[in-house]
Amino acid sequence: MLKYYIYFFICVKVNVRFAFKSLKMGKNLKISIVLLLSGLALNFANTHLSILLVCFSVVPLFVLLNESSKSKSVFMGFLYGVGIGLGMFFWMIKGINHYTGNGFLYGIFIYLISSIFLGLYFALVSFITKSIYIINIKSSRSLFLNKLCIAAVWTVLESGLAFALESFPLHYFRIGFPFVTNIYFVQLSSIGGLALLSFLTVLINLCLAEFYIQKKKIYLIYSLSTLAIMLVIGSICYYTYSPKFIGKSFKVAIVSDNTNPETKWNSENGNTFANKYFQLCKDATDLQPDFIIWPETALPWTYTAEDDLLKEIIRISNTHNVTHVIGINNENNADKALYNSVFYIDKHNKVNGIYSKQILLKGIEEPLGKYLVPFLSQEGFVLSKGKNQKPVQTKFGKAGNLICNEVVSENCGLEQVKNGANFLFNFSNDGWFKDNYISDLHFYYARLQAVENRKDIAVANNCGINAIINSSGSIISEKKDTSSTLIFGSVQPNNTLSLFTKYPLFFNWLLILFILFYLTYLKPKTIRTDTNEKF
């Protein structure tokens, strides 16, 4: 694997050199190819969670922006973003066809629109970057401050985009996300969230780009020093972290039948599916857990207390004091609304708590304007948002709940923890994405939530990765099967609040203040000083 990365880096370096020369010659074809390939490389780094690759995948763009005009920077950023999108959304061609039954043309259309959207975003980012970029400045200090400002701009814009795309998680792109895979680097998220990791990732790329342009070792030292500082601070955070436990730990059994979500329950397969559920419940009950946790929409219909399947599941486990936490749609007869919910049901079949999903998928679970993905609209299946959903009180403390894409939203975890959650449960269904990168990203977003908010999290994911992750980010148990899955472990409630949980916007506001200070004072001063030195 290391040989592959070295080879890739050499190829990128050679391509950038050719592109840099062709920029002077006015040959845009090579530049376009390099930008597209570099965008694909950044996508590969992000979707395959490569820390090494993400540290230099933006270098070609920064090198080319260094000598481009503002008008060309827009085109360069667009090509770079499209390159990311072409790799990131390629699964949609087959996946949307599979999802909706509308054929490949529909999938290709969504694929291209999504890639163009990302291209437009990076066109904006590149234009702003070029507007800030300073060149021909001798002072390493001035150039480093300039790079800090650019990294800050990228981070603030990325955070804004993430907020805007809460209901479009398949279009999320957080450049610092690969660092979540490392137990030490991920600790930084408890200080500044994912924004801090993105900021440092961009800064490393900027310094490497300056090293390539000027051939001065100081910029290589800046990059390596940034990585070293991240590792040292992360290690200190990891080894000094001491959660404030409350009460005793409890046992959870996570079960998943891993049935493809497009499979319909009917008279022919109903008994087979039911027996599969019963066996899972029996195996889980034998472990004597306090909770048996099922995935999102584990029962793919609307809840009723008289449901025969649910009653039998409760009967199998009622020899122990087990609470089932299970995904079922919930219909409110008063306002005729349907919710994507999880129910907390005790051994007497009594519902002790319900949580309903608050961030729905636009165009899939709720209409985007008047548009809804065809496979859902044909079923008349339109969901409503759960409002002001608080953690569910249990005998072990308050359980925070995150359904599907809510685990991707930093705000959702924050809201649950700020409302008193002592631990987190995540319920998902990755059946539509089991053959691509999304399932792995889903799992690591759960790890991010655990560390950002310093809460143990149990993940129940149909066709995905089922896991128990503690508040330090350590993976207690993890499993992904094609057949039925059962994992077992302990969850420890705590009252710890991280710096990020207490002040989630602190780092972004700090970056905004620095940007304003730099643009109004530091940058003009740098330019005046350099001009005076020349004369």
Side-chain angles (χ1 to χ4, degrees):
M1 184 61 73
L2 180 59
K3 290 182 179 178
Y4 168 78
Y5 287 134
I6 293 172
Y7 173 74
F8 182 85
F9 179 72
I10 292 171
C11 289
V12 170
K13 183 175 180 180
V14 170
N15 281 328
V16 170
R17 184 180 290 119
F18 277 128
F20 189 60
K21 291 179 180 178
S22 59
L23 177 64
K24 295 179 180 178
M25 298 167 59
K27 295 180 180 179
N28 294 321
L29 179 59
K30 287 182 180 179
I31 297 174
S32 300
I33 293 173
V34 168
L35 288 167
L36 287 170
L37 290 176
S38 299
L40 284 168
L42 181 56
N43 163 73
F44 184 90
N46 210 268
T47 55
H48 290 74
L49 301 169
S50 169
I51 293 174
L52 181 60
L53 192 53
V54 81
C55 286
F56 56 81
S57 294
V58 200
V59 170
L61 176 63
F62 288 138
V63 170
L64 292 169
L65 286 175
N66 183 69
E67 288 295 322
S68 72
S69 63
K70 286 185 181 180
S71 58
K72 284 186 177 180
S73 69
V74 174
F75 180 68
M76 288 178 176
F78 178 77
L79 285 177
Y80 187 75
V82 167
I84 297 171
L86 291 177
M88 182 176 176
F89 305 123
F90 186 74
W91 67 270
M92 289 183 174
I93 297 176
K94 181 180 177 180
I96 290 179
N97 171 49
H98 175 67
Y99 203 38
T100 67
N102 271 20
F104 282 98
L105 288 178
Y106 184 73
I108 290 172
F109 173 74
I110 300 297
Y111 169 57
L112 293 176
I113 290 296
S114 299
S115 299
I116 290 171
F117 168 78
L118 212 51
L120 292 173
Y121 168 74
F122 275 95
L124 173 65
V125 174
S126 295
F127 177 78
I128 296 173
T129 300
K130 182 58 187 177
S131 300
I132 299 172
Y133 224 124
I134 59 172
I135 57 176
N136 300 322
I137 298 293
K138 295 180 180 180
S139 169
S140 295
R141 176 179 172 275
S142 297
L143 280 174
F144 185 70
L145 288 172
N146 183 250
K147 302 306 175 259
L148 284 176
C149 182
I150 293 172
V153 168
W154 275 59
T155 305
V156 171
L157 289 174
E158 181 188 88
S159 297
L161 183 69
F163 177 77
L165 294 180
E166 273 194 328
S167 296
F168 302 90
L170 298 177
H171 294 78
Y172 255 51
F173 187 83
R174 306 298 297 271
I175 195 170
F177 189 69
F179 282 97
V180 174
T181 59
N182 181 277
I183 189 64
Y184 302 117
F185 288 134
V186 72
Q187 303 303 315
L188 298 177
S189 66
S190 67
I191 302 172
L194 190 49
L196 177 55
L197 294 175
S198 290
F199 171 77
L200 294 168
T201 304
V202 177
L203 183 61
I204 290 168
N205 276 269
L206 282 162
C207 291
L208 285 177
E210 203 63 40
F211 169 65
Y212 180 88
I213 294 166
Q214 295 201 40
K215 305 298 187 293
K216 290 183 178 180
K217 292 182 180 179
I218 185 64
Y219 298 106
L220 179 60
I221 293 172
Y222 284 156
S223 296
L224 296 177
S225 297
T226 301
L227 273 172
I229 292 170
M230 290 172 67
L231 185 61
V232 169
I233 294 176
S235 299
I236 293 172
C237 289
Y238 178 73
Y239 288 112
T240 60
Y241 169 62
S242 180
K244 300 175 183 177
F245 295 135
I246 61 164
K248 60 181 181 179
S249 63
F250 57 88
K251 304 293 185 181
V252 296
I254 299 171
V255 297
S256 178
D257 66 299
N258 296 321
T259 301
N260 287 332
E262 74 270 21
T263 303
K264 303 291 184 182
W265 287 58
N266 53 45
S267 58
E268 295 180 1
N269 61 28
N271 287 336
T272 301
F273 283 147
N275 289 329
K276 194 175 181 181
Y277 274 50
F278 298 154
Q279 188 61 50
L280 273 171
C281 183
K282 183 179 182 303
D283 292 342
T285 302
D286 289 343
L287 297 171
Q288 299 185 16
D290 297 294
F291 292 90
I292 297 178
I293 305 174
W294 301 74
E296 175 189 19
T297 57
L299 300 186
W301 48 72
T302 304
Y303 169 80
T304 170
E306 301 305 315
D307 186 294
D308 290 335
L309 179 65
L310 185 58
K311 287 170 70 175
E312 181 62 17
I313 287 173
I314 301 301
R315 187 198 67 76
I316 291 171
S317 61
N318 68 7
T319 54
H320 300 284
N321 191 19
V322 177
T323 297
H324 287 268
V325 188
I326 186 167
I328 322 174
N329 290 326
N330 180 28
E331 186 172 9
N332 186 321
N333 293 325
D335 55 13
K336 295 182 179 180
L338 190 66
Y339 300 93
N340 184 352
S341 303
V342 290
F343 283 68
Y344 287 68
I345 306 175
D346 66 18
K347 68 177 184 178
H348 303 296
N349 201 17
K350 177 185 176 183
V351 176
N352 292 322
I354 301 174
Y355 172 85
S356 297
K357 189 177 181 184
Q358 300 181 83
I359 299 181
L360 302 180
L361 297 169
K362 286 285 187 181
I364 297 177
E365 293 178 320
E366 69 171 343
L368 178 59
K370 295 184 178 180
Y371 176 78
L372 200 66
V373 169
F375 96 99
L376 291 177
S377 60
Q378 290 169 5
E379 300 290 335
F381 186 63
V382 181
L383 294 174
S384 298
K385 292 182 180 179
K387 296 181 180 179
N388 301 317
Q389 299 294 291
K390 300 293 190 293
V392 174
Q393 183 67 56
T394 74
K395 61 183 178 180
F396 299 100
K398 291 184 178 180
N401 301 276
L402 303 168
I403 299 179
C404 193
N405 55 288
E406 290 184 333
V407 78
V408 177
S409 170
E410 290 175 294
N411 288 333
C412 266
L414 280 168
E415 181 183 345
Q416 292 290 298
V417 174
K418 283 195 168 185
N419 279 301
N422 306 117
F423 52 90
L424 299 171
F425 291 154
N426 173 221
F427 318 86
S428 299
N429 188 342
D430 277 357
W432 303 107
F433 317 115
K434 61 181 179 179
D435 297 323
N436 62 49
Y437 68 90
I438 293 176
S439 187
D440 288 338
L441 264 62
H442 222 158
F443 167 71
Y444 280 105
Y445 268 110
R447 186 192 213 184
L448 178 69
Q449 289 279 5
V451 177
E452 278 188 338
N453 297 297
R454 292 305 190 190
K455 295 290 176 284
D456 289 14
I457 186 169
V459 182
N461 193 334
N462 182 59
C463 295
I465 300 174
N466 296 270
I468 299 170
I469 307 168
N470 71 20
S471 59
S472 71
S474 297
I475 300 167
I476 305 304
S477 184
E478 171 193 359
K479 196 173 184 182
K480 182 177 182 179
D481 287 326
T482 54
S483 57
S484 298
T485 299
L486 167 62
I487 66 171
F488 181 73
S490 297
V491 169
Q492 175 65 65
N494 73 63
N495 274 334
T496 303
L497 292 179
S498 69
L499 181 64
F500 174 73
T501 305
K502 293 177 182 177
Y503 311 105
L505 297 178
F506 174 76
F507 185 65
N508 274 304
W509 277 113
L510 191 66
L511 293 181
I512 291 170
L513 291 174
F514 174 74
I515 293 168
L516 294 174
F517 179 65
Y518 178 82
L519 293 178
T520 58
Y521 177 72
L522 292 179
K523 185 180 179 184
K525 181 181 178 182
T526 297
I527 295 172
R528 286 196 302 270
T529 302
D530 187 69
T531 302
N532 291 335
E533 287 178 357
K534 288 180 181 179
F535 285 100

PDB file of all heavy atoms in Angstrom, residues 258-274:
ATOM      1  N   ASN A 258     -29.938  -8.055   8.424  1.00  0.00           N
ATOM      2  CA  ASN A 258     -29.226  -7.803   7.163  1.00  0.00           C
ATOM      3  C   ASN A 258     -30.021  -8.225   5.931  1.00  0.00           C
ATOM      4  O   ASN A 258     -29.484  -8.801   4.979  1.00  0.00           O
ATOM      5  CB  ASN A 258     -27.859  -8.502   7.166  1.00  0.00           C
ATOM      6  CG  ASN A 258     -26.947  -7.952   8.233  1.00  0.00           C
ATOM      7  OD1 ASN A 258     -26.923  -6.748   8.486  1.00  0.00           O
ATOM      8  ND2 ASN A 258     -26.197  -8.819   8.899  1.00  0.00           N
ATOM      9  N   THR A 259     -31.299  -7.905   5.952  1.00  0.00           N
ATOM     10  CA  THR A 259     -32.170  -8.164   4.812  1.00  0.00           C
ATOM     11  C   THR A 259     -32.149  -6.968   3.867  1.00  0.00           C
ATOM     12  O   THR A 259     -32.229  -5.825   4.315  1.00  0.00           O
ATOM     13  CB  THR A 259     -33.618  -8.418   5.282  1.00  0.00           C
ATOM     14  OG1 THR A 259     -33.627  -9.546   6.162  1.00  0.00           O
ATOM     15  CG2 THR A 259     -34.530  -8.687   4.098  1.00  0.00           C
ATOM     16  N   ASN A 260     -32.035  -7.219   2.582  1.00  0.00           N
ATOM     17  CA  ASN A 260     -32.073  -6.127   1.620  1.00  0.00           C
ATOM     18  C   ASN A 260     -33.368  -5.333   1.781  1.00  0.00           C
ATOM     19  O   ASN A 260     -34.456  -5.932   1.836  1.00  0.00           O
ATOM     20  CB  ASN A 260     -31.990  -6.661   0.184  1.00  0.00           C
ATOM     21  CG  ASN A 260     -30.602  -7.162  -0.163  1.00  0.00           C
ATOM     22  OD1 ASN A 260     -29.615  -6.685   0.385  1.00  0.00           O
ATOM     23  ND2 ASN A 260     -30.526  -8.132  -1.056  1.00  0.00           N
ATOM     24  N   PRO A 261     -33.282  -4.016   1.857  1.00  0.00           N
ATOM     25  CA  PRO A 261     -34.473  -3.217   2.170  1.00  0.00           C
ATOM     26  C   PRO A 261     -35.554  -3.250   1.091  1.00  0.00           C
ATOM     27  O   PRO A 261     -36.704  -2.951   1.371  1.00  0.00           O
ATOM     28  CB  PRO A 261     -33.905  -1.793   2.330  1.00  0.00           C
ATOM     29  CG  PRO A 261     -32.603  -1.807   1.620  1.00  0.00           C
ATOM     30  CD  PRO A 261     -32.069  -3.187   1.758  1.00  0.00           C
ATOM     31  N   GLU A 262     -35.165  -3.619  -0.144  1.00  0.00           N
ATOM     32  CA  GLU A 262     -36.194  -3.667  -1.191  1.00  0.00           C
ATOM     33  C   GLU A 262     -37.028  -4.943  -1.106  1.00  0.00           C
ATOM     34  O   GLU A 262     -38.048  -5.071  -1.785  1.00  0.00           O
ATOM     35  CB  GLU A 262     -35.556  -3.546  -2.583  1.00  0.00           C
ATOM     36  CG  GLU A 262     -34.808  -4.786  -3.069  1.00  0.00           C
ATOM     37  CD  GLU A 262     -33.352  -4.774  -2.662  1.00  0.00           C
ATOM     38  OE1 GLU A 262     -33.012  -4.061  -1.700  1.00  0.00           O
ATOM     39  OE2 GLU A 262     -32.554  -5.478  -3.301  1.00  0.00           O
ATOM     40  N   THR A 263     -36.592  -5.892  -0.271  1.00  0.00           N
ATOM     41  CA  THR A 263     -37.332  -7.142  -0.115  1.00  0.00           C
ATOM     42  C   THR A 263     -38.633  -6.892   0.649  1.00  0.00           C
ATOM     43  O   THR A 263     -38.638  -6.326   1.737  1.00  0.00           O
ATOM     44  CB  THR A 263     -36.487  -8.183   0.642  1.00  0.00           C
ATOM     45  OG1 THR A 263     -35.260  -8.389  -0.061  1.00  0.00           O
ATOM     46  CG2 THR A 263     -37.232  -9.504   0.751  1.00  0.00           C
ATOM     47  N   LYS A 264     -39.731  -7.304   0.078  1.00  0.00           N
ATOM     48  CA  LYS A 264     -41.038  -7.088   0.699  1.00  0.00           C
ATOM     49  C   LYS A 264     -41.460  -8.320   1.501  1.00  0.00           C
ATOM     50  O   LYS A 264     -41.270  -9.452   1.072  1.00  0.00           O
ATOM     51  CB  LYS A 264     -42.095  -6.807  -0.383  1.00  0.00           C
ATOM     52  CG  LYS A 264     -41.782  -5.620  -1.286  1.00  0.00           C
ATOM     53  CD  LYS A 264     -41.860  -4.316  -0.549  1.00  0.00           C
ATOM     54  CE  LYS A 264     -41.651  -3.129  -1.494  1.00  0.00           C
ATOM     55  NZ  LYS A 264     -41.676  -1.838  -0.785  1.00  0.00           N
ATOM     56  N   TRP A 265     -42.015  -8.060   2.664  1.00  0.00           N
ATOM     57  CA  TRP A 265     -42.610  -9.146   3.446  1.00  0.00           C
ATOM     58  C   TRP A 265     -43.930  -9.544   2.780  1.00  0.00           C
ATOM     59  O   TRP A 265     -44.774  -8.688   2.481  1.00  0.00           O
ATOM     60  CB  TRP A 265     -42.889  -8.699   4.869  1.00  0.00           C
ATOM     61  CG  TRP A 265     -41.675  -8.533   5.736  1.00  0.00           C
ATOM     62  CD1 TRP A 265     -40.615  -7.726   5.505  1.00  0.00           C
ATOM     63  CD2 TRP A 265     -41.418  -9.193   6.975  1.00  0.00           C
ATOM     64  NE1 TRP A 265     -39.700  -7.825   6.528  1.00  0.00           N
ATOM     65  CE2 TRP A 265     -40.169  -8.723   7.445  1.00  0.00           C
ATOM     66  CE3 TRP A 265     -42.116 -10.129   7.738  1.00  0.00           C
ATOM     67  CZ2 TRP A 265     -39.610  -9.161   8.651  1.00  0.00           C
ATOM     68  CZ3 TRP A 265     -41.568 -10.559   8.944  1.00  0.00           C
ATOM     69  CH2 TRP A 265     -40.319 -10.082   9.387  1.00  0.00           C
ATOM     70  N   ASN A 266     -44.114 -10.823   2.549  1.00  0.00           N
ATOM     71  CA  ASN A 266     -45.371 -11.301   1.978  1.00  0.00           C
ATOM     72  C   ASN A 266     -45.677 -12.703   2.502  1.00  0.00           C
ATOM     73  O   ASN A 266     -44.945 -13.242   3.341  1.00  0.00           O
ATOM     74  CB  ASN A 266     -45.319 -11.285   0.442  1.00  0.00           C
ATOM     75  CG  ASN A 266     -44.113 -12.039  -0.099  1.00  0.00           C
ATOM     76  OD1 ASN A 266     -43.799 -13.139   0.362  1.00  0.00           O
ATOM     77  ND2 ASN A 266     -43.438 -11.448  -1.089  1.00  0.00           N
ATOM     78  N   SER A 267     -46.741 -13.285   1.992  1.00  0.00           N
ATOM     79  CA  SER A 267     -47.165 -14.601   2.481  1.00  0.00           C
ATOM     80  C   SER A 267     -46.150 -15.686   2.179  1.00  0.00           C
ATOM     81  O   SER A 267     -46.090 -16.711   2.876  1.00  0.00           O
ATOM     82  CB  SER A 267     -48.519 -14.971   1.868  1.00  0.00           C
ATOM     83  OG  SER A 267     -48.430 -14.961   0.440  1.00  0.00           O
ATOM     84  N   GLU A 268     -45.317 -15.486   1.164  1.00  0.00           N
ATOM     85  CA  GLU A 268     -44.356 -16.508   0.780  1.00  0.00           C
ATOM     86  C   GLU A 268     -43.104 -16.486   1.658  1.00  0.00           C
ATOM     87  O   GLU A 268     -42.544 -17.538   1.987  1.00  0.00           O
ATOM     88  CB  GLU A 268     -43.957 -16.325  -0.686  1.00  0.00           C
ATOM     89  CG  GLU A 268     -45.111 -16.545  -1.657  1.00  0.00           C
ATOM     90  CD  GLU A 268     -44.689 -16.348  -3.096  1.00  0.00           C
ATOM     91  OE1 GLU A 268     -43.480 -16.050  -3.330  1.00  0.00           O
ATOM     92  OE2 GLU A 268     -45.536 -16.496  -3.993  1.00  0.00           O
ATOM     93  N   ASN A 269     -42.643 -15.289   2.024  1.00  0.00           N
ATOM     94  CA  ASN A 269     -41.384 -15.217   2.791  1.00  0.00           C
ATOM     95  C   ASN A 269     -41.582 -14.774   4.242  1.00  0.00           C
ATOM     96  O   ASN A 269     -40.627 -14.720   5.006  1.00  0.00           O
ATOM     97  CB  ASN A 269     -40.389 -14.281   2.102  1.00  0.00           C
ATOM     98  CG  ASN A 269     -40.916 -12.848   1.982  1.00  0.00           C
ATOM     99  OD1 ASN A 269     -41.720 -12.393   2.785  1.00  0.00           O
ATOM    100  ND2 ASN A 269     -40.440 -12.126   0.969  1.00  0.00           N
ATOM    101  N   GLY A 270     -42.812 -14.445   4.612  1.00  0.00           N
ATOM    102  CA  GLY A 270     -43.075 -13.901   5.943  1.00  0.00           C
ATOM    103  C   GLY A 270     -42.613 -14.806   7.071  1.00  0.00           C
ATOM    104  O   GLY A 270     -41.979 -14.344   8.034  1.00  0.00           O
ATOM    105  N   ASN A 271     -42.903 -16.092   6.964  1.00  0.00           N
ATOM    106  CA  ASN A 271     -42.505 -17.021   8.026  1.00  0.00           C
ATOM    107  C   ASN A 271     -40.994 -17.136   8.143  1.00  0.00           C
ATOM    108  O   ASN A 271     -40.449 -17.233   9.252  1.00  0.00           O
ATOM    109  CB  ASN A 271     -43.118 -18.399   7.770  1.00  0.00           C
ATOM    110  CG  ASN A 271     -44.614 -18.424   8.033  1.00  0.00           C
ATOM    111  OD1 ASN A 271     -45.132 -17.607   8.800  1.00  0.00           O
ATOM    112  ND2 ASN A 271     -45.324 -19.354   7.393  1.00  0.00           N
ATOM    113  N   THR A 272     -40.313 -17.121   7.003  1.00  0.00           N
ATOM    114  CA  THR A 272     -38.851 -17.205   7.007  1.00  0.00           C
ATOM    115  C   THR A 272     -38.244 -16.008   7.720  1.00  0.00           C
ATOM    116  O   THR A 272     -37.351 -16.142   8.570  1.00  0.00           O
ATOM    117  CB  THR A 272     -38.304 -17.283   5.569  1.00  0.00           C
ATOM    118  OG1 THR A 272     -38.849 -18.427   4.920  1.00  0.00           O
ATOM    119  CG2 THR A 272     -36.785 -17.368   5.568  1.00  0.00           C
ATOM    120  N   PHE A 273     -38.730 -14.817   7.377  1.00  0.00           N
ATOM    121  CA  PHE A 273     -38.230 -13.603   8.020  1.00  0.00           C
ATOM    122  C   PHE A 273     -38.553 -13.596   9.511  1.00  0.00           C
ATOM    123  O   PHE A 273     -37.718 -13.232  10.343  1.00  0.00           O
ATOM    124  CB  PHE A 273     -38.836 -12.360   7.362  1.00  0.00           C
ATOM    125  CG  PHE A 273     -38.221 -12.014   6.047  1.00  0.00           C
ATOM    126  CD1 PHE A 273     -38.988 -11.448   5.046  1.00  0.00           C
ATOM    127  CD2 PHE A 273     -36.885 -12.243   5.798  1.00  0.00           C
ATOM    128  CE1 PHE A 273     -38.430 -11.120   3.814  1.00  0.00           C
ATOM    129  CE2 PHE A 273     -36.313 -11.932   4.580  1.00  0.00           C
ATOM    130  CZ  PHE A 273     -37.085 -11.368   3.583  1.00  0.00           C
ATOM    131  N   ALA A 274     -39.761 -13.995   9.854  1.00  0.00           N
ATOM    132  CA  ALA A 274     -40.178 -14.001  11.250  1.00  0.00           C
ATOM    133  C   ALA A 274     -39.296 -14.935  12.072  1.00  0.00           C
ATOM    134  O   ALA A 274     -38.835 -14.581  13.164  1.00  0.00           O
ATOM    135  CB  ALA A 274     -41.644 -14.411  11.361  1.00  0.00           C
TER     136      ALA A 274
END
